[in-house]
Amino acid sequence: MKRNAWIAGSLMLLAGLISGTAMAQQPLREVTFGTNWLAQGEHGGYYQALADGTYEKYGLKVTIVPGGPRADNRMLMSVGKLDFYMGGSLIQAFSAVEKDIPTVIVAAHFQKEPQALMTHPGQGFDSFADLKKSNDILLSKSGAATFFQWMKAEFGFKDEQVKPYGFNPAPFIANKQSVQQGYVASDPLAIEKVAGFKPNVFLLADQGFSTYSTTIETRREIVEKDADLVQRFVDASTIGWYNYLYGDNSKANALIKRENPEMTDELLAYSVAKMKEHGIVDSGDAQELGIGAMSDARVKDFFDKMVKAGLFKSDLDYKKAYTLQFVNKGVGLELKK
């Protein structure tokens, strides 16, 4: 009987080894992921997962397709040319529901939108409330149509205060009474290097602009028919973010610089430092539930603010814009320690 048990056990072990070898030899699942701009530190977690082999460990062969001024990766994802897309704020996702576009957010890797407003120091614009005194608030068309509408509804800003911003900092640098939009993880450094002063920086998220950002979006049909693929991509990307922020990110930065030669070691280091300082990626619910966390209450809070700002009607079924199915599982929390 002992001999038979030994043989049975050996056969089971052999079967397990064969099965494991077969799984290891399975071809990687090819996945395309479109970003919303050129490669940069704010995309670091995805490049980290690509550079350190995390995607491969999850059975994925991921191709990152950078965005840019001439790319429309959101549209390419919507029509099936890309599998996943890096979304911006929840406004885009609500708009997709409004237009009956069947896309859905499956994770939010930024707990805070990195959009900020900058002012000259020592000019009477040293608090967010002071910004209402400026008649030269330099905003892009999209900024004026989105977060500035919230600023009007919440704080009483006026349309006549807005001036066009063409992504050239020269008008801001020349006018000490002006305010300029910018991303907290990059633009303040650019101003400091060109103009020689550190601007005041007001992160809109800290003033109540409660949207998630740098989301992962995909088509609803993929969520419904291939949930395992979605889970693997979300989990691997989340682990990438932990390793990028708290581990050795040199290989990821090398990939970013190869994709976008305008990136420098100084700017990449600055981006990581500011993302940590401001809790862009790892704050709030993410500290307990894991990077990428979302909640119904948080999405509703932002939707209500956008309704108040006049961007959407209150009867929009905004819950179609996202799902909590793939997040809040604590994936990667141990890597921070």
Side-chain angles (χ1 to χ4, degrees):
M1 291 180 65
K2 289 183 179 180
R3 183 172 183 275
N4 289 340
W6 179 84
I7 292 173
S10 298
L11 290 173
M12 289 178 65
L13 177 61
L14 180 61
L17 291 173
I18 293 172
S19 176
T21 301
M23 288 181 65
Q25 292 176 345
Q26 287 181 355
L28 298 175
R29 177 75 177 272
E30 293 194 8
V31 171
T32 51
F33 175 52
T35 67
N36 54 19
W37 197 247
L38 302 173
Q40 54 190 280
E42 291 92 326
H43 302 173
Y46 311 108
Y47 284 96
Q48 180 76 27
L50 183 62
D52 67 12
T54 298
Y55 284 134
E56 287 192 9
K57 291 177 184 176
Y58 278 76
L60 305 175
K61 182 180 179 181
V62 174
T63 300
I64 298 178
V65 182
R70 298 179 183 84
D72 192 348
N73 283 344
R74 170 178 285 280
M75 182 193 70
L76 293 176
M77 181 271 294
S78 299
V79 299
K81 300 297 184 181
L82 297 173
D83 299 307
F84 297 96
Y85 172 70
M86 179 195 299
S89 74
L90 291 173
I91 292 174
Q92 295 171 318
F94 295 156
S95 180
V97 174
E98 189 176 50
K99 297 174 182 176
D100 201 27
I101 300 173
T103 57
V104 60
I105 292 174
V106 295
H109 283 125
F110 280 12
Q111 290 293 301
K112 295 182 178 182
E113 163 71 55
Q115 187 67 63
L117 296 174
M118 301 182 294
T119 66
H120 289 250
Q123 299 297 320
F125 300 98
D126 299 317
S127 72
F128 188 77
D130 291 334
L131 305 189
K132 288 180 66 177
K133 298 184 295 185
S134 176
N135 290 316
D136 296 292
I137 301 178
L138 306 174
L139 301 178
S140 64
K141 289 183 179 179
S142 63
T146 55
F147 63 78
F148 190 71
Q149 300 305 307
W150 163 78
M151 290 170 60
K152 288 164 55 181
E154 291 289 329
F155 302 103
F157 285 84
K158 305 294 183 183
D159 285 327
E160 52 266 30
Q161 295 177 267
V162 175
K163 301 293 187 296
Y165 170 51
F167 297 93
N168 179 350
F172 169 69
I173 294 171
N175 182 357
K176 294 182 178 181
Q177 301 297 303
S178 65
V179 179
Q180 181 190 294
Q181 73 176 73
Y183 266 22
V184 72
S186 56
D187 288 304
L189 177 63
I191 296 296
E192 183 179 352
K193 291 182 73 66
V194 172
F197 68 88
K198 291 184 178 181
N200 296 323
V201 179
F202 305 100
L203 190 66
L204 295 184
D206 291 342
Q207 310 303 322
F209 193 66
S210 55
T211 183
Y212 293 117
S213 185
T214 303
T215 59
I216 292 180
E217 296 185 39
T218 190
R219 297 183 301 284
R220 190 169 298 278
E221 64 177 0
I222 294 181
V223 170
E224 295 172 350
K225 297 178 180 179
D226 207 345
D228 177 67
L229 172 66
V230 178
Q231 190 69 70
R232 283 187 286 151
F233 183 72
V234 168
D235 288 353
S237 299
T238 297
I239 289 171
W241 271 111
Y242 276 110
N243 287 330
Y244 186 72
L245 291 177
Y246 304 115
D248 180 2
N249 59 22
S250 57
K251 290 183 179 179
N253 286 339
L255 276 182
I256 292 171
K257 288 189 292 183
R258 188 179 72 186
E259 291 287 348
N260 183 6
E262 292 187 3
M263 290 295 107
T264 65
D265 290 333
E266 179 185 23
L267 179 54
L268 290 168
Y270 181 89
S271 295
V272 171
K274 292 302 177 181
M275 284 191 287
K276 289 181 177 180
E277 176 186 338
H278 293 282
I280 299 297
V281 180
D282 192 9
S283 63
D285 290 338
Q287 294 184 317
E288 293 187 2
L289 301 176
I291 288 174
M294 295 189 292
S295 73
D296 292 324
R298 174 82 175 271
V299 177
K300 183 181 186 304
D301 175 74
F302 185 69
F303 177 72
D304 289 344
K305 289 174 179 176
M306 294 304 98
V307 170
K308 181 180 177 181
L311 270 68
F312 300 102
K313 295 180 179 179
S314 61
D315 61 352
L316 180 71
D317 189 3
Y318 70 91
K319 290 187 177 181
K320 288 184 177 180
Y322 71 102
T323 176
L324 304 182
Q325 178 179 349
F326 305 100
V327 294
N328 303 341
K329 303 175 186 293
V331 172
L333 279 172
E334 73 281 356
L335 297 173
K336 183 177 179 180
K337 298 176 183 179

